[in-house]
Amino acid sequence: MLYLIGLGLNDEYDITMRGLELVRGCSEVLLEAYTSVLTVPVERLEALYGRKVTVAERDFVESGIEPVLERAKTNEIALLVVGDPFGATTHCDVLARAKTCARAAASPRPQGM
């Protein structure tokens, strides 16, 4: 499953509780690093989220995301976006491609919440 998760606009604490639970349950966490600027070091996200966060540059998100979509068929993967995850057409495109792969969600409610 691929989750597109908005982080808010300030720091690591702006993520929603739902988003935090999803991130903590993912085996892989990517951070889209070009649409908006993260105001804190990635290490602060990693400390709070308890997961390694890999920075995904523009070319990767726009052109190289297919291997991630394939892994999302059998793994829980988060794509973190500073601000609104659908504020850029690139993210909408990633979701459309993920849905084509049949394993996508935009921050659904985790089990038990």
Side-chain angles (χ1 to χ4, degrees):
M1 182 72 67
L2 177 70
Y3 301 100
L4 300 179
I5 301 173
L7 294 183
L9 294 172
N10 190 37
D11 62 22
E12 69 273 28
Y13 293 104
D14 285 349
I15 192 170
T16 65
M17 291 299 297
R18 181 178 300 157
L20 182 59
E21 290 296 319
L22 288 169
V23 168
R24 286 181 173 165
C26 286
S27 59
E28 186 174 348
V29 180
L30 304 168
L31 170 65
E32 182 270 282
Y34 64 88
T35 303
S36 294
V37 177
L38 184 64
T39 61
V40 297
V42 172
E43 293 79 14
R44 284 182 44 185
L45 299 179
E46 292 174 334
L48 179 65
Y49 304 164
R51 293 284 181 268
K52 176 170 176 26
V53 176
T54 302
V55 175
E57 300 295 338
R58 181 180 195 132
D59 288 343
F60 177 80
V61 176
E62 291 180 348
S63 305
I65 197 82
E66 285 75 19
V68 172
L69 300 180
E70 283 300 314
R71 290 193 302 275
K73 290 179 179 180
T74 56
N75 296 286
E76 305 288 312
I77 299 175
L79 177 60
L80 307 178
V81 178
V82 178
D84 181 352
F86 297 108
T89 57
T90 298
H91 307 134
C92 296
D93 177 64
V94 167
L95 182 61
R97 287 190 277 163
K99 284 185 176 182
T100 300
C101 289
R103 293 268 306 169
S107 297
R109 183 178 301 264
Q111 299 267 340
M113 288 191 81

